[in-house]
């Protein structure tokens, strides 16, 4: 992966320095995500797509449904395709809801790359050029196996985006990695920080035998940290999380969080722009999908992560 990224990045800088002036009009790409405006984790995606656009000399746009409503996202994809871009980069949070507008965009002649959610198999079925992201079930399974190796047998999965199947895949994969039933160990926490904190406190009070907590990103991790500080379990209960953020990094440093799963969202936004621009200019395309994660981040070696958390990490 490191060698592949280095090669692509080198090609990107060569294009910027020598070839980009020949493309005075510039290509235009639209990135559509399922994220609500309230989810700060996606700032890294915005930064990645903006940097790639600047380096490649192309126009890029970021669009999303303000509340995270997937039906609204489907309409945004339709509108993006109708605007005639050279390419669309999109998440695939729910195949049933989004496959129609994505397929229609591809049928109209728009090149599409799937990122972040969905799977390589789903991207192939739709006719997308490729998939760049972290297979969510596999990431959850790897996390579950890691926790099982650390002696964990029960857990609470705090799902703050339960209407996205990919979020549930994280929890299910973790349960399967542990070798236990998911059952009621996953809660629909919602996205309000106070509500998340109260639901975590209520669950742990009702299930004091719970051995671990799994959160799915800063939206659920940050209030969960506060809950554990309030009930005195911070640093005592096993705590793993998906994704990174400032408070997650602080939790890793303090020992409250055991590990974070880094899916490298910067690469999920940056690489598709590089790939599409080179594909449209020279007809070159990587021969396979790109897995941006999972990678486990612990308290060891946090310097780079801490420096760029919330910006490029």
């Amino acid at each position: 992966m490191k060698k592949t990224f280095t090669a692509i990045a080198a090609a990107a800088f060569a294009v910027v320095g020598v070839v980009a002036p020949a493309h005075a009009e510039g290509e235009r790409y639209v990135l559509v995500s399922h994220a609500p405006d309230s989810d700060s984790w996606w700032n890294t995606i915005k930064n990645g797509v903006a940097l790639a656009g600047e380096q490649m000399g192309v126009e890029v746009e970021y669009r999303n449904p303000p509340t995270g409503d997937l039906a609204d996202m489907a309409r945004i994809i339709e509108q993006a395709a109708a605007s005639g871009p050279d390419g669309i980069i999109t998440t695939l949070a729910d195949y049933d809801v989004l496959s129609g507008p994505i397929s229609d965009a591809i049928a109209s002649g728009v090149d599409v790359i799937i990122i972040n959610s969905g799977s390589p198999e789903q991207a192939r079925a739709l006719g997308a050029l490729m998939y760049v992201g972290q297979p969510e079930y596999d990431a959850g399974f790897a996390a579950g196996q890691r926790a099982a190796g650390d002696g964990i047998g029960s857990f609470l999965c705090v799902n703050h985006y339960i209407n996205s199947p990919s979020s549930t895949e994280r929890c299910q994969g973790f349960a399967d990695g542990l070798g236990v039933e998911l059952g009621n160990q996953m809660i629909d926490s919602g996205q309000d920080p106070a509500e998340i904190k109260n639901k975590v406190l209520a669950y742990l009070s009702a299930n004091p035998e719970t051995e671990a907590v799994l959160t799915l990103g800063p939206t659920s991790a940050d209030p969960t940290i506060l809950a554990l500080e309030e009930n005195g379990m911070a640093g005592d209960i096993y705590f793993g999380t998906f994704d990174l953020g400032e408070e997650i990094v602080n939790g890793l440093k303090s020992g409250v969080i055991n590990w974070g799963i880094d899916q490298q969202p910067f690469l999920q936004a940056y690489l598709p722009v590089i790939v599409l621009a080179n594909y449209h200019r020279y007809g070159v395309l990587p021969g396979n999908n790109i897995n941006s994660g999972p990678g486990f981040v612990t308290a060891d070696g946090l310097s780079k992560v801490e420096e760029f958390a919330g910006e490029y990490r």
Side-chain angles (χ1 to χ4, degrees):
M1 175 64 205
K2 183 176 180 181
K3 291 181 179 178
T4 301
F5 174 66
T6 301
I8 293 174
F13 282 109
V15 170
V16 170
V18 179
V19 182
H23 299 270
E25 296 299 322
E27 295 84 0
R28 183 170 68 89
Y29 304 121
V30 181
L31 191 156
V32 183
S33 88
H34 58 270
D37 289 343
S38 61
D39 195 339
S40 62
W41 182 84
W42 292 83
N43 289 338
T44 301
I45 293 281
K46 296 175 187 177
N47 292 339
V49 74
L51 181 60
E54 177 184 342
Q55 291 181 348
M56 297 302 290
V58 301
E59 180 183 350
V60 295
E61 301 174 40
Y62 176 89
R63 302 183 187 179
N64 68 295
T67 65
D69 180 76
L70 294 181
D72 190 15
M73 180 184 175
R75 289 188 290 271
I76 292 173
I77 293 173
E78 291 171 349
Q79 293 165 0
S83 71
D86 294 285
I88 291 176
I89 304 160
T90 183
T91 63
L92 186 54
D94 189 319
Y95 188 87
D96 293 337
V97 175
L98 302 174
S99 58
I102 293 174
S103 296
D104 290 344
I106 293 171
S108 73
V110 178
D111 290 316
V112 172
I113 290 180
I114 303 297
I115 66 167
N116 179 261
S117 50
S119 68
E121 293 75 22
Q122 290 175 334
R124 186 182 308 112
L126 291 175
L129 291 179
M130 64 186 306
Y131 172 86
V132 181
Q134 171 180 271
E136 301 295 3
Y137 176 85
D138 294 346
F141 189 82
Q145 288 185 313
R146 184 185 183 103
D150 291 336
I152 300 302
S154 63
F155 70 103
L156 163 64
C157 184
V158 187
N159 192 336
H160 65 267
Y161 198 27
I162 206 162
N163 63 328
S164 171
S166 59
S167 294
T168 301
E169 287 175 2
R170 291 178 169 186
C171 300
Q172 184 63 62
F174 190 79
D176 292 347
L178 282 179
V180 301
E181 294 292 328
L182 178 58
N184 66 354
Q185 295 184 109
M186 178 178 71
I187 61 171
D188 177 5
S189 68
Q191 298 192 10
D192 177 75
E195 184 178 358
I196 294 171
K197 175 185 172 184
N198 290 334
K199 286 187 176 182
V200 170
L201 287 170
Y203 183 94
L204 294 177
S205 177
N207 301 274
E209 75 287 352
T210 302
E211 297 175 350
V213 174
L214 177 70
T215 56
L216 305 187
T219 298
S220 50
D222 295 357
T224 297
I225 293 172
L226 297 178
L228 298 180
E229 289 174 348
E230 182 171 317
N231 69 6
M233 299 178 72
D236 292 330
I237 190 170
Y238 191 92
F239 190 168
T241 186
F242 280 78
D243 303 331
L244 299 176
E246 182 177 355
E247 293 306 317
I248 290 174
V249 169
N250 290 336
L252 288 166
K253 291 174 63 179
S254 67
V256 171
I257 298 177
N258 295 72
W259 42 258
I261 297 177
D262 183 14
Q263 62 174 297
Q264 301 186 100
F266 172 80
L267 294 184
Q268 295 175 12
Y270 179 85
L271 290 181
V273 175
I274 305 299
V275 168
L276 283 170
N278 282 296
Y279 178 61
H280 291 142
R281 294 173 184 182
Y282 314 117
V284 296
L285 189 69
N288 210 335
N289 303 299
I290 299 175
N291 282 352
S292 63
F296 287 92
V297 177
T298 65
D300 299 328
L302 265 180
S303 57
K304 275 290 184 184
V305 175
E306 185 176 13
E307 181 181 359
F308 295 111
E311 185 178 7
Y312 296 114
R313 294 296 303 269

